[in-house]
Amino acid sequence: MFRSTSRLRDLAHSGKLEEAKGLFDGMKPRDVVFWTAMVNAYALNRDVDRASAAFARMPAADTIAWNAYLAAFAQNGLPLDARLAFDDMPGRNELSWTSLTQSYAQAGMLDSARAAFDRTPSHSVVAWTTVLSAYALCDNASEAKALFDAMPQRSVVSWTILMTTLAHKGRVAAAKELFDDMPQRDHVCWHAMLAAYSRNRQLDMATSLLHRMPQANAVALTTMIAAYAGTGDFERAAASFDSVPRRDSYTWNALLSAYSQNGHLVAASSIFDRMPQRDTIACNVMITSYAKAGELQRAMAIFENTPERDVVGWTVVITALAQQGDHQAAFHAFCCMDLEGVPAN
RNA sequence: CGGCAAGAGUUAGUCCC
């Protein structure tokens, strides 16, 4: 049972939801810990409905189970549902409060995040860092810096958040200074620094950082694919792709985008056909390329077959229709998006 | 150390051109 729970957790973290479900179905009896792992598995894979259905079926939920249920809403952009779950909880701990704060932070509801933090009984470094992330998400760099300086403790996560915020504002040098001043560095902060250079088109700095990194894994190399693609160097982008040891959908999508950004539609299309899986983002890349090339028919064909169409794909289609002068179709598409339950932004 | 909370890489728009 202990091992199955761990296995369930691992499957969930690697996106293997169906396998996780299979493991869950084959396991009886199930205790509250195992149930909680399943709720979390759904939540991690963006399936809030099944997460909350599983929670509802779970016998004798404890505080940790409630936290997993709350986190399902908090992490998936549903702050109002998170709040309802929070209010229903029979008991709360530090993690409950942090999840509530996070739900507001992620939704950009800075004041609510701040209020939740202020009501939190005791403030761990995670609680502080969660509020920091609220400012970071609004790209409020000066407030973030002030909060960072005022925090009683900082973790490597806090440092990384501030670094990323500065980089988003184009303040690469300030970001690098933070990076150098960090008391400890883990893999994520190295990747964040690499992304900072990439975003700000400092390719030579990115490359030299890459070579100094403890290990260049798929995350780092995918950053490089995008960095090269952004400067039109799709050959180096492809070379980076070839050097990725274990390619995931991010890696493939970055390569796809590298070709399509640079007008190599035929190559992009053949990559698209060869990809292990064509997720929403891959489809969006192709839709964008075809729309840009005026091949609306092809764009629409892919759009029709896109799994989980999102606001990005819809926006491309609506914009393309409008630019073609077909305002009626554009408006109709907008209404369809609404009907499908995809919120406009 | 069986389950729960904060940070990093890929697509539209957004910023500069």
Side-chain angles (χ1 to χ4, degrees):
Chain A
M1 179 62 120
F2 281 26
R3 294 181 78 167
S4 297
T5 308
S6 288
R7 171 109 181 104
L8 185 53
R9 183 183 173 280
D10 291 342
L11 289 171
H13 276 88
S14 45
K16 296 174 180 165
L17 187 55
E18 294 318 312
E19 267 186 69
K21 180 72 166 70
L23 179 62
F24 179 81
D25 289 340
M27 174 64 73
K28 272 183 191 159
R30 307 164 182 135
D31 65 11
V32 62
V33 177
F34 194 67
W35 273 98
T36 303
M38 194 63 227
V39 170
N40 188 237
Y42 285 130
L44 282 174
N45 291 279
R46 308 256 124 83
D47 197 336
V48 180
D49 291 340
R50 287 204 282 178
S52 81
F55 177 77
R57 287 172 51 213
M58 172 187 333
D62 60 9
T63 299
I64 295 181
W66 274 94
N67 282 345
Y69 174 63
L70 167 61
F73 298 119
Q75 293 166 347
N76 288 288
L78 298 167
L80 302 182
D81 298 283
R83 175 59 196 267
L84 292 175
F86 183 85
D87 288 342
D88 282 346
M89 291 179 73
R92 300 176 185 123
N93 64 16
E94 166 99 43
L95 277 67
S96 325
W97 284 96
T98 311
S99 280
L100 183 69
T101 307
Q102 167 68 359
S103 74
Y104 294 128
Q106 203 196 259
M109 300 164 70
L110 197 50
D111 293 339
S112 301
R114 185 78 220 194
F117 175 77
D118 290 340
R119 286 176 58 213
T120 301
S122 77
H123 294 151
S124 69
V125 66
V126 176
W128 278 100
T129 305
T130 303
V131 196
L132 179 64
S133 77
Y135 287 100
L137 260 149
C138 307
D139 265 338
N140 196 336
S142 50
E143 290 281 353
K145 177 70 166 68
L147 185 67
F148 179 86
D149 290 336
M151 286 166 63
Q153 314 99 28
R154 301 166 195 96
S155 68
V156 61
V157 178
S158 330
W159 284 85
T160 305
I161 289 175
L162 185 61
M163 216 177 83
T164 301
T165 307
L166 292 169
H168 271 95
K169 287 285 189 183
R171 298 173 58 185
V172 200
K176 179 59 164 54
E177 210 170 302
L178 271 181
F179 180 75
D180 289 336
D181 288 347
M182 289 177 68
Q184 301 101 23
R185 297 185 197 96
D186 63 6
H187 295 294
V188 174
C189 82
W190 278 92
H191 297 149
M193 191 62 232
L194 191 67
Y197 284 135
S198 167
R199 172 183 296 275
N200 292 280
R201 302 270 151 114
Q202 304 204 4
L203 257 192
D204 41 349
M205 298 300 281
T207 308
S208 94
L209 190 77
L210 180 76
H211 292 134
R212 281 172 14 237
M213 283 181 69
Q215 73 187 29
N217 62 10
V219 172
L221 291 166
T222 301
T223 306
M224 293 309 296
I225 296 171
Y228 288 127
T231 62
D233 191 348
F234 68 92
E235 288 177 3
R236 265 189 247 275
S240 298
F241 176 85
D242 290 335
S243 71
V244 178
R246 293 177 45 184
R247 295 165 195 146
D248 59 13
S249 64
Y250 282 69
T251 320
W252 278 98
N253 291 343
L255 180 74
L256 184 69
S257 170
Y259 280 99
S260 76
Q261 268 172 36
N262 291 284
H264 294 255
L265 250 180
V266 176
S269 166
S270 105
I271 290 164
F272 185 71
D273 292 336
R274 292 197 329 258
M275 290 173 73
Q277 70 263 340
R278 285 161 284 281
D279 65 9
T280 306
I281 291 186
C283 291
N284 288 344
V285 171
M286 291 310 293
I287 294 165
T288 305
S289 314
Y290 281 131
K292 221 179 268 175
E295 305 217 43
L296 204 47
Q297 312 282 12
R298 289 181 198 267
M300 292 308 294
I302 292 177
F303 185 65
E304 315 266 307
N305 290 307
T306 303
E308 313 262 327
R309 286 190 285 251
D310 65 4
V311 67
V312 174
W314 279 107
T315 303
V316 174
V317 166
I318 293 167
T319 308
L321 288 169
Q323 273 170 2
Q324 224 186 29
D326 200 341
H327 295 98
Q328 205 172 356
F331 182 71
H332 181 249
F334 185 84
C335 297
C336 290
M337 174 177 81
D338 194 50
L339 282 172
E340 243 181 47
V342 176
N345 60 7

